[in-house]
Amino acid sequence: MKRSLTGIRPSGNVHLGNYLGMIRPALARQDDYQCLYFLADMHTVNTLRDASLMRAYSYDLVACWLALGFDHKKHILYRQSDVPMVAELAWYLSCCTGMGFLEKAHAYKDALAQQREVNHGVFAYPVLMAADILMYDPDIVPVGKDQKQHVEMARDIAGSFNALFGDGCLKLPEPRVQQEVMAVPGLDGKKMSKSYGNEIPIFCDEKTLKKLVMSIKTDSTALEAPKKLEGTLVSDFFSLFATPEKFQDLSQRLAAGGLGWGHAKEELFEVINAEFREPRERYQRLRSDEPHLEKVLQDGAQRAFGIGFPVLNRVRKAVGFQASRYHF
Ligand code: ADP
Ligand code: TRP
């Protein structure tokens, strides 16, 4: 069976951008692919320096995947730091990755431009991300548009390694970006992101969700006036949650006049809330049982190790090392 792999950092509340751009399309692969999905906690050390928050966000994220329908028995859900041999693979990859190549990475360039802390971890981010991917021989990597460059860099890094140490040693995966989603806008119209504080968390309570949806920017056209839905922020969100028929219907009622943006946003709240009502309840239940979440992660790590270990040994052999005696 083909394999799908992706990761998300436990760095805060999961929001609609994460859900629509990556999580929903990744979940949709469960019938046709073996899915390896992981919490990219080693990538989070760069920005989150609070051990109890790191633990809390990690459990939030496992509960989130499970509540949204990830089948952890059929597939594999694990924490990056529980399979630390990935850092060893990252080292071999570092040794065939040029500085000039890494200087082109968006995340690094953004950190420089915004005068955020630029440490070696930020600079080497694409190498660790390449190791996350190449460790498990995946066929596809579902990510949001902003991560596509990193997956392409992983392919390039694999190409360099193969050219130096043996063709075919590392498998080149394909990025998969949900074309119709691309970049989900935030409440202010900019890309939705934790770093901009413009996000709608998927598991906030109903009241907060409504308040946030009602705060989406709209123009001040009078209630009676005809309005064009297409091209607005409300339309961007509505099209991602409602059926095409529902979308057409709202568009026609707005165009007829007499329907205000407030009403339209209430309808938007209803379609978003309908998608999250049941998962939200499951999430609360799952989140209150950390020992169960930990068990899911430990089981996932063991199975991920079973897939990654032969790949690591393939690489060690290509470099001229003995097989690893590392045990899980
Ligand atoms: P954030 O920008 O909030 O820190 P992350 O970098 O943790 O989000 O992103 C996790 C995943 O969600 C990535 O695959 C990313 O491409 C996707 N993603 C994040 N924000 C958006 C968005 N606004 N639209 C589409 N996909 C997104
Ligand atoms: N860089 C990704 C993000 O910020 C998270 C990530 C780390 C990842 N390693 C990965 C995604 C490997 C896909 C594959 O969202």
Side-chain angles (χ1 to χ4, degrees):
M1 198 181 212
K2 288 196 168 189
R3 190 172 290 151
S4 167
L5 175 141
T6 193
I8 176 167
R9 290 175 308 129
S11 54
N13 287 328
V14 173
H15 56 70
L16 287 186
N18 303 140
Y19 175 69
L20 296 165
M22 194 276 260
I23 298 177
R24 190 164 75 175
L27 284 169
R29 302 283 174 192
Q30 290 189 92
D31 289 339
D32 307 326
Y33 287 79
Q34 179 193 34
C35 300
L36 270 75
Y37 296 164
F38 70 98
L39 320 188
D41 58 350
M42 288 163 75
H43 286 275
T44 313
V45 179
N46 257 328
T47 47
L48 180 65
R49 276 77 182 251
D50 179 324
S52 55
L53 262 186
M54 180 74 86
R55 278 190 286 272
Y57 288 156
S58 299
Y59 288 134
D60 289 352
L61 204 48
V62 200
C64 178
W65 276 109
L66 299 178
L68 291 168
F70 186 78
D71 182 343
H72 70 96
K73 292 201 176 120
K74 184 166 167 211
H75 301 285
I76 303 181
L77 186 60
Y78 62 103
R79 187 163 45 194
Q80 184 186 23
S81 60
D82 287 336
V83 197
M85 65 185 173
V86 73
E88 181 181 339
L89 177 59
W91 176 254
Y92 305 133
L93 299 179
S94 269
C95 295
C96 49
T97 304
M99 298 278 283
F101 174 79
L102 290 176
E103 276 162 8
K104 295 194 197 105
H106 291 320
Y108 166 67
K109 287 204 287 193
D110 287 354
L112 274 186
Q114 292 164 25
Q115 299 187 316
R116 287 201 310 267
E117 177 185 336
V118 184
N119 55 37
H120 177 252
V122 172
F123 191 65
Y125 193 107
V127 180
L128 182 57
M129 182 156 160
D132 293 333
I133 297 171
L134 301 171
M135 184 95 249
Y136 299 100
D137 282 345
D139 297 280
I140 60 162
V141 183
V143 281
K145 184 177 160 239
D146 60 334
Q147 291 298 320
K148 187 164 179 253
Q149 186 202 33
H150 284 148
V151 182
E152 280 159 358
M153 289 176 87
R155 286 174 60 90
D156 290 343
I157 293 173
S160 304
F161 183 92
N162 286 347
L164 290 169
F165 293 105
D167 240 5
C169 185
L170 292 172
K171 177 168 162 179
L172 274 59
E174 295 284 339
R176 279 294 151 85
V177 177
Q178 190 77 355
Q179 290 308 326
E180 61 279 23
V181 175
M182 302 306 273
V184 177
L187 292 168
D188 54 1
K190 272 201 297 190
K191 179 200 156 212
M192 186 177 288
S193 170
K194 273 164 265 172
S195 349
Y196 301 146
N198 62 356
E199 75 266 34
I200 303 183
I202 61 172
F203 289 137
C204 59
D205 59 72
E206 244 180 66
K207 233 171 108 187
T208 312
L209 179 63
K210 184 154 192 185
K211 210 170 123 203
L212 289 170
V213 171
M214 296 311 284
S215 75
I216 290 175
K217 264 195 181 162
T218 42
D219 66 31
S220 50
T221 320
L223 187 123
E224 315 75 52
K227 297 169 192 65
K228 191 164 169 345
L229 176 60
E230 290 77 1
T232 63
L233 259 181
V234 176
S235 151
D236 290 344
F237 281 114
F238 207 73
S239 62
L240 292 167
F241 285 97
T243 58
E245 295 74 36
K246 262 196 155 162
F247 184 90
Q248 249 341 84
D249 174 60
L250 179 65
S251 168
Q252 282 166 4
R253 282 183 292 123
L254 280 166
L259 190 73
W261 284 120
H263 295 114
K265 285 193 269 188
E266 270 178 31
E267 295 188 28
L268 174 60
F269 161 73
E270 291 301 336
V271 287
I272 299 180
N273 195 39
E275 183 141 342
F276 293 117
R277 194 176 292 117
E278 285 175 19
R280 189 190 295 126
E281 281 172 24
R282 278 199 295 273
Y283 175 80
Q284 301 300 353
R285 250 197 333 273
L286 285 155
R287 185 63 186 84
S288 63
D289 189 356
E290 288 186 0
H292 170 68
L293 300 176
E294 190 55 46
K295 221 167 128 242
V296 169
L297 287 176
Q298 290 308 318
D299 171 60
Q302 198 153 12
R303 288 187 292 138
F305 178 83
I307 296 175
F309 196 58
V311 181
L312 181 72
N313 279 332
R314 218 160 65 204
V315 170
R316 287 178 63 106
K317 190 169 168 209
V319 171
F321 291 172
Q322 297 299 314
S324 171
R325 258 164 262 159
Y326 185 92
H327 288 290
F328 187 78

